[in-house]
Amino acid sequence: MEFMLKQHTVICKELIDKLSKYNIISYDEYLCLINNRDLCSEYLFKKARNVRNKIYGNKIYIRGLIEFTNYCKNDCLYCGIRRSNKNVDRYRLSKQEILDCCNLGYGLGFRTFVMQGGEDLYYTDEILCDIVKEIKEKYPDCAITLSVGERSYESYKKLKEAGADRYLLRHETANKNHYEKLHPKEMSFNNRMRCLNNLKDLGYQVGAGFMVGSPYQTEEDLANELIFLNQFKPHMIGIGPFISHKDTPFKNEKSGTLELTLFMIGLVRLTLPNSLLPATTALGTIDSIGREKGINSGANVIMPNLSPFDVRKKYMLYDNKICTGEESAYCVECIKKRIKTTGCEIVTDRGDYKEF
Ligand code: 5AD
Ligand code: FES
């Protein structure tokens, strides 16, 4: 028995070496690693940190997250701000409030602002472009990332021309069948993929991503995620555990685990060595030092919340989300201290994708 385990460990390490060398292994090989992750996770994390350090050094890029609207026309089954949730106190930030967040963030050293919101029809192209333009005028040395869901090609084009540099749109799962179990029937996997391709064509730095441990997800699905990522090659990949929200149809579903999420971060780092990988808020929510562990598994981005304090509790995508209470006044200092414990350091930098 012990001999068998040793053999398995050796095989896993060889697979990790192979992945490190070629940045791709087969679906079956990914699956083998995922199934045997308890034998080789430390080895994977070490390799993942090494490649990250080779490309980006020990630098961690910070992005100021501005959650500017929690109105949403969608009804994703997992999400706390889905339109059917009548318990949400809905809000929109004014242009001035958004600019105030940027001003605060700039002073704190942020050179990327992420404007994230639900799919809120109030924000026509005209309104959104106007806000993007003004942020760019005031902070020309900053990058703007949008995260406002599915829109038309034309709309993405206008926003790009207005000055948006990057776009986050998680695909949530690369399996069409699985996608349909997580979303209402008016949402489609094909449209999500079309949007991601359009964003790429328009020259955005594109972020995709998925939840780990979402309802109905299998280990096979996770192996498939890596094959998908290798094909689509996003610049950024947001990976966080699924966490149930009490007012959603998935309220009784169990959350994704820390160890599996970290393992996926490590595998993604080796598959897409140059990617920008955030240690997500969801990771920090399931474990008190989850984000630090994310960094130690190969992540190199952190996205502290810059939203005004009075709205933070209203942007509850899942239960117990961190940085929404009293302590959140000090997020930036808190993050800095936390990053120090990993041996990495936060930098004041746009933190663009490095091609080579
Ligand atoms: N648990 C974890 N992540 C969630 N998201 C939405 N709801 C949840 C949840 N219950 C993630 C989705 C979305 C991102 C903004 O937040 O992946 O794309
Ligand atoms: Fe927000 Fe620690 S990062 S309170």
Side-chain angles (χ1 to χ4, degrees), residues 237-273:
I237 302 109
I239 304 170
F242 160 76
I243 303 170
S244 65
H245 185 291
K246 61 181 181 359
D247 299 323
T248 65
F250 291 159
K251 60 174 176 258
N252 295 322
E253 301 286 337
K254 55 178 189 311
S255 296
T257 64
L258 175 76
E259 51 90 24
L260 187 50
T261 308
L262 297 176
F263 198 76
M264 291 306 294
I265 291 175
L267 288 178
V268 172
R269 171 59 66 203
L270 294 189
T271 303
L272 296 170

Tab-separated table of all heavy atoms in Angstrom, residues 237-273:
chain	number	residue	atom	x	y	z
A	237	ILE	N	-7.530	35.338	-14.923
A	237	ILE	CA	-8.474	34.261	-14.593
A	237	ILE	C	-8.874	34.375	-13.128
A	237	ILE	O	-8.044	34.212	-12.235
A	237	ILE	CB	-7.877	32.853	-14.852
A	237	ILE	CG1	-7.439	32.716	-16.311
A	237	ILE	CG2	-8.907	31.755	-14.545
A	237	ILE	CD1	-5.957	32.691	-16.482
A	238	GLY	N	-10.134	34.660	-12.913
A	238	GLY	CA	-10.653	34.756	-11.552
A	238	GLY	C	-11.177	33.399	-11.101
A	238	GLY	O	-12.089	32.855	-11.718
A	239	ILE	N	-10.572	32.879	-10.035
A	239	ILE	CA	-10.991	31.573	-9.525
A	239	ILE	C	-11.312	31.709	-8.046
A	239	ILE	O	-10.467	32.130	-7.256
A	239	ILE	CB	-9.848	30.540	-9.672
A	239	ILE	CG1	-9.394	30.446	-11.125
A	239	ILE	CG2	-10.286	29.168	-9.149
A	239	ILE	CD1	-8.114	29.642	-11.285
A	240	GLY	N	-12.520	31.357	-7.686
A	240	GLY	CA	-12.868	31.407	-6.270
A	240	GLY	C	-13.821	30.278	-5.948
A	240	GLY	O	-14.467	29.724	-6.847
A	241	PRO	N	-13.895	29.923	-4.672
A	241	PRO	CA	-14.838	28.867	-4.294
A	241	PRO	C	-16.277	29.363	-4.419
A	241	PRO	O	-16.543	30.538	-4.170
A	241	PRO	CB	-14.496	28.615	-2.820
A	241	PRO	CG	-13.947	29.919	-2.337
A	241	PRO	CD	-13.213	30.511	-3.516
A	242	PHE	N	-17.165	28.478	-4.798
A	242	PHE	CA	-18.591	28.796	-4.703
A	242	PHE	C	-18.932	28.860	-3.214
A	242	PHE	O	-18.454	28.041	-2.427
A	242	PHE	CB	-19.424	27.703	-5.381
A	242	PHE	CG	-20.853	27.702	-4.925
A	242	PHE	CD1	-21.740	28.663	-5.387
A	242	PHE	CD2	-21.303	26.772	-3.991
A	242	PHE	CE1	-23.056	28.709	-4.940
A	242	PHE	CE2	-22.621	26.804	-3.545
A	242	PHE	CZ	-23.497	27.769	-4.011
A	243	ILE	N	-19.728	29.852	-2.843
A	243	ILE	CA	-20.195	29.974	-1.455
A	243	ILE	C	-21.696	30.231	-1.524
A	243	ILE	O	-22.138	31.132	-2.254
A	243	ILE	CB	-19.501	31.150	-0.719
A	243	ILE	CG1	-17.972	30.986	-0.755
A	243	ILE	CG2	-20.002	31.267	0.722
A	243	ILE	CD1	-17.194	32.210	-0.259
A	244	SER	N	-22.476	29.469	-0.778
A	244	SER	CA	-23.921	29.619	-0.928
A	244	SER	C	-24.404	30.950	-0.364
A	244	SER	O	-23.765	31.555	0.499
A	244	SER	CB	-24.644	28.452	-0.253
A	244	SER	OG	-24.407	28.512	1.124
A	245	HIS	N	-25.511	31.399	-0.904
A	245	HIS	CA	-26.161	32.615	-0.407
A	245	HIS	C	-27.555	32.230	0.064
A	245	HIS	O	-28.280	31.530	-0.642
A	245	HIS	CB	-26.219	33.673	-1.509
A	245	HIS	CG	-26.770	34.993	-1.027
A	245	HIS	ND1	-28.092	35.149	-0.666
A	245	HIS	CD2	-26.172	36.192	-0.825
A	245	HIS	CE1	-28.278	36.397	-0.254
A	245	HIS	NE2	-27.138	37.047	-0.338
A	246	LYS	N	-27.930	32.720	1.221
A	246	LYS	CA	-29.166	32.266	1.878
A	246	LYS	C	-30.451	32.557	1.097
A	246	LYS	O	-31.458	31.904	1.319
A	246	LYS	CB	-29.257	32.830	3.291
A	246	LYS	CG	-29.296	34.352	3.347
A	246	LYS	CD	-29.358	34.824	4.791
A	246	LYS	CE	-29.436	36.332	4.963
A	246	LYS	NZ	-29.428	37.200	3.804
A	247	ASP	N	-30.428	33.537	0.211
A	247	ASP	CA	-31.649	33.881	-0.531
A	247	ASP	C	-31.647	33.385	-1.967
A	247	ASP	O	-32.260	33.987	-2.838
A	247	ASP	CB	-31.843	35.403	-0.552
A	247	ASP	CG	-31.988	35.978	0.841
A	247	ASP	OD1	-32.614	35.323	1.686
A	247	ASP	OD2	-31.449	37.082	1.077
A	248	THR	N	-30.903	32.337	-2.237
A	248	THR	CA	-30.854	31.808	-3.607
A	248	THR	C	-31.315	30.346	-3.612
A	248	THR	O	-31.348	29.694	-2.568
A	248	THR	CB	-29.414	31.848	-4.172
A	248	THR	OG1	-28.608	30.953	-3.385
A	248	THR	CG2	-28.814	33.244	-4.128
A	249	PRO	N	-31.638	29.827	-4.802
A	249	PRO	CA	-32.041	28.410	-4.886
A	249	PRO	C	-30.934	27.461	-4.422
A	249	PRO	O	-31.210	26.312	-4.087
A	249	PRO	CB	-32.304	28.216	-6.380
A	249	PRO	CG	-32.509	29.576	-6.948
A	249	PRO	CD	-31.720	30.516	-6.093
A	250	PHE	N	-29.703	27.936	-4.394
A	250	PHE	CA	-28.591	27.085	-3.962
A	250	PHE	C	-28.252	27.265	-2.481
A	250	PHE	O	-27.142	26.943	-2.055
A	250	PHE	CB	-27.340	27.372	-4.813
A	250	PHE	CG	-27.438	26.918	-6.251
A	250	PHE	CD1	-26.617	27.481	-7.229
A	250	PHE	CD2	-28.321	25.911	-6.637
A	250	PHE	CE1	-26.682	27.061	-8.559
A	250	PHE	CE2	-28.398	25.476	-7.968
A	250	PHE	CZ	-27.583	26.062	-8.922
A	251	LYS	N	-29.202	27.765	-1.719
A	251	LYS	CA	-28.887	28.088	-0.315
A	251	LYS	C	-28.414	26.890	0.499
A	251	LYS	O	-27.633	27.044	1.422
A	251	LYS	CB	-30.079	28.766	0.355
A	251	LYS	CG	-31.343	27.946	0.402
A	251	LYS	CD	-32.408	28.665	1.227
A	251	LYS	CE	-33.710	27.916	1.204
A	251	LYS	NZ	-34.685	28.523	0.278
A	252	ASN	N	-28.868	25.694	0.138
A	252	ASN	CA	-28.460	24.530	0.929
A	252	ASN	C	-27.277	23.768	0.345
A	252	ASN	O	-26.903	22.712	0.844
A	252	ASN	CB	-29.645	23.576	1.105
A	252	ASN	CG	-30.753	24.226	1.917
A	252	ASN	OD1	-30.478	24.966	2.871
A	252	ASN	ND2	-31.996	24.006	1.523
A	253	GLU	N	-26.717	24.297	-0.710
A	253	GLU	CA	-25.590	23.611	-1.355
A	253	GLU	C	-24.307	23.894	-0.589
A	253	GLU	O	-24.128	24.980	-0.038
A	253	GLU	CB	-25.422	24.110	-2.795
A	253	GLU	CG	-26.639	23.899	-3.671
A	253	GLU	CD	-26.830	22.440	-4.073
A	253	GLU	OE1	-25.821	21.693	-4.058
A	253	GLU	OE2	-27.974	22.058	-4.389
A	254	LYS	N	-23.419	22.893	-0.601
A	254	LYS	CA	-22.190	23.169	0.159
A	254	LYS	C	-21.185	23.978	-0.661
A	254	LYS	O	-21.204	23.964	-1.889
A	254	LYS	CB	-21.579	21.897	0.735
A	254	LYS	CG	-21.284	20.787	-0.202
A	254	LYS	CD	-20.643	19.641	0.593
A	254	LYS	CE	-20.098	18.529	-0.275
A	254	LYS	NZ	-21.001	18.010	-1.303
A	255	SER	N	-20.338	24.686	0.070
A	255	SER	CA	-19.376	25.575	-0.586
A	255	SER	C	-18.209	24.804	-1.166
A	255	SER	O	-17.943	23.660	-0.776
A	255	SER	CB	-18.854	26.588	0.424
A	255	SER	OG	-19.901	27.409	0.857
A	256	GLY	N	-17.481	25.433	-2.075
A	256	GLY	CA	-16.252	24.847	-2.597
A	256	GLY	C	-15.188	24.847	-1.506
A	256	GLY	O	-15.296	25.586	-0.526
A	257	THR	N	-14.181	24.011	-1.678
A	257	THR	CA	-13.176	23.909	-0.614
A	257	THR	C	-11.943	24.749	-0.924
A	257	THR	O	-11.627	25.032	-2.084
A	257	THR	CB	-12.710	22.453	-0.404
A	257	THR	OG1	-12.047	22.016	-1.604
A	257	THR	CG2	-13.870	21.537	-0.085
A	258	LEU	N	-11.269	25.108	0.148
A	258	LEU	CA	-10.020	25.852	0.044
A	258	LEU	C	-8.986	25.052	-0.740
A	258	LEU	O	-8.377	25.545	-1.686
A	258	LEU	CB	-9.492	26.147	1.449
A	258	LEU	CG	-8.135	26.822	1.517
A	258	LEU	CD1	-8.241	28.296	1.163
A	258	LEU	CD2	-7.495	26.657	2.883
A	259	GLU	N	-8.815	23.792	-0.349
A	259	GLU	CA	-7.708	23.034	-0.945
A	259	GLU	C	-7.883	22.839	-2.452
A	259	GLU	O	-6.937	22.975	-3.214
A	259	GLU	CB	-7.432	21.716	-0.203
A	259	GLU	CG	-8.608	20.798	0.040
A	259	GLU	CD	-8.845	19.791	-1.064
A	259	GLU	OE1	-7.891	19.471	-1.794
A	259	GLU	OE2	-10.006	19.318	-1.195
A	260	LEU	N	-9.107	22.601	-2.896
A	260	LEU	CA	-9.322	22.410	-4.334
A	260	LEU	C	-9.155	23.723	-5.102
A	260	LEU	O	-8.603	23.747	-6.200
A	260	LEU	CB	-10.706	21.783	-4.586
A	260	LEU	CG	-11.026	21.372	-6.023
A	260	LEU	CD1	-9.918	20.537	-6.641
A	260	LEU	CD2	-12.356	20.613	-6.088
A	261	THR	N	-9.612	24.818	-4.498
A	261	THR	CA	-9.453	26.119	-5.162
A	261	THR	C	-7.964	26.435	-5.331
A	261	THR	O	-7.514	26.848	-6.400
A	261	THR	CB	-10.147	27.234	-4.355
A	261	THR	OG1	-11.495	26.841	-4.100
A	261	THR	CG2	-10.140	28.550	-5.116
A	262	LEU	N	-7.197	26.217	-4.279
A	262	LEU	CA	-5.755	26.496	-4.355
A	262	LEU	C	-5.087	25.622	-5.407
A	262	LEU	O	-4.242	26.080	-6.180
A	262	LEU	CB	-5.084	26.262	-2.997
A	262	LEU	CG	-5.544	27.163	-1.841
A	262	LEU	CD1	-4.853	26.748	-0.544
A	262	LEU	CD2	-5.274	28.635	-2.143
A	263	PHE	N	-5.496	24.374	-5.438
A	263	PHE	CA	-4.899	23.447	-6.411
A	263	PHE	C	-5.172	23.924	-7.843
A	263	PHE	O	-4.280	23.896	-8.701
A	263	PHE	CB	-5.438	22.031	-6.182
A	263	PHE	CG	-4.600	20.964	-6.816
A	263	PHE	CD1	-3.390	20.573	-6.245
A	263	PHE	CD2	-5.005	20.352	-7.998
A	263	PHE	CE1	-2.599	19.586	-6.835
A	263	PHE	CE2	-4.220	19.365	-8.597
A	263	PHE	CZ	-3.019	18.983	-8.015
A	264	MET	N	-6.394	24.414	-8.077
A	264	MET	CA	-6.736	24.925	-9.415
A	264	MET	C	-5.902	26.169	-9.752
A	264	MET	O	-5.465	26.338	-10.886
A	264	MET	CB	-8.232	25.233	-9.516
A	264	MET	CG	-9.138	24.003	-9.485
A	264	MET	SD	-8.741	22.750	-10.724
A	264	MET	CE	-9.124	23.627	-12.239
A	265	ILE	N	-5.694	27.026	-8.774
A	265	ILE	CA	-4.855	28.216	-9.013
A	265	ILE	C	-3.448	27.774	-9.445
A	265	ILE	O	-2.889	28.285	-10.410
A	265	ILE	CB	-4.790	29.112	-7.747
A	265	ILE	CG1	-6.167	29.757	-7.509
A	265	ILE	CG2	-3.702	30.188	-7.876
A	265	ILE	CD1	-6.264	30.561	-6.212
A	266	GLY	N	-2.912	26.799	-8.753
A	266	GLY	CA	-1.574	26.290	-9.082
A	266	GLY	C	-1.535	25.717	-10.502
A	266	GLY	O	-0.611	26.002	-11.273
A	267	LEU	N	-2.546	24.928	-10.843
A	267	LEU	CA	-2.577	24.338	-12.194
A	267	LEU	C	-2.721	25.416	-13.267
A	267	LEU	O	-2.099	25.336	-14.327
A	267	LEU	CB	-3.747	23.341	-12.319
A	267	LEU	CG	-3.611	22.017	-11.569
A	267	LEU	CD1	-4.872	21.163	-11.768
A	267	LEU	CD2	-2.376	21.224	-12.032
A	268	VAL	N	-3.520	26.428	-12.991
A	268	VAL	CA	-3.691	27.502	-13.977
A	268	VAL	C	-2.381	28.273	-14.138
A	268	VAL	O	-1.985	28.613	-15.252
A	268	VAL	CB	-4.853	28.452	-13.591
A	268	VAL	CG1	-4.881	29.670	-14.509
A	268	VAL	CG2	-6.186	27.715	-13.672
A	269	ARG	N	-1.683	28.518	-13.054
A	269	ARG	CA	-0.399	29.221	-13.168
A	269	ARG	C	0.563	28.469	-14.090
A	269	ARG	O	1.274	29.074	-14.892
A	269	ARG	CB	0.221	29.434	-11.773
A	269	ARG	CG	1.636	29.966	-11.761
A	269	ARG	CD	1.805	31.326	-12.450
A	269	ARG	NE	1.117	32.393	-11.754
A	269	ARG	CZ	0.717	33.544	-12.330
A	269	ARG	NH1	0.933	33.762	-13.623
A	269	ARG	NH2	0.085	34.458	-11.630
A	270	LEU	N	0.599	27.154	-13.979
A	270	LEU	CA	1.521	26.395	-14.832
A	270	LEU	C	1.019	26.282	-16.267
A	270	LEU	O	1.810	26.151	-17.202
A	270	LEU	CB	1.772	24.997	-14.248
A	270	LEU	CG	2.518	24.937	-12.917
A	270	LEU	CD1	2.882	23.502	-12.575
A	270	LEU	CD2	3.772	25.806	-12.920
A	271	THR	N	-0.293	26.354	-16.448
A	271	THR	CA	-0.870	26.235	-17.793
A	271	THR	C	-0.748	27.558	-18.550
A	271	THR	O	-0.465	27.586	-19.743
A	271	THR	CB	-2.350	25.807	-17.685
A	271	THR	OG1	-2.415	24.569	-16.954
A	271	THR	CG2	-2.978	25.605	-19.052
A	272	LEU	N	-0.985	28.647	-17.832
A	272	LEU	CA	-0.863	29.989	-18.433
A	272	LEU	C	0.098	30.796	-17.552
A	272	LEU	O	-0.333	31.598	-16.717
A	272	LEU	CB	-2.237	30.671	-18.494
A	272	LEU	CG	-3.284	30.001	-19.389
A	272	LEU	CD1	-4.662	30.623	-19.178
A	272	LEU	CD2	-2.892	30.109	-20.855
A	273	PRO	N	1.395	30.583	-17.732
A	273	PRO	CA	2.391	31.155	-16.819
A	273	PRO	C	2.314	32.673	-16.688
A	273	PRO	O	2.574	33.221	-15.629
A	273	PRO	CB	3.720	30.747	-17.431
A	273	PRO	CG	3.417	29.623	-18.334
A	273	PRO	CD	2.006	29.777	-18.792
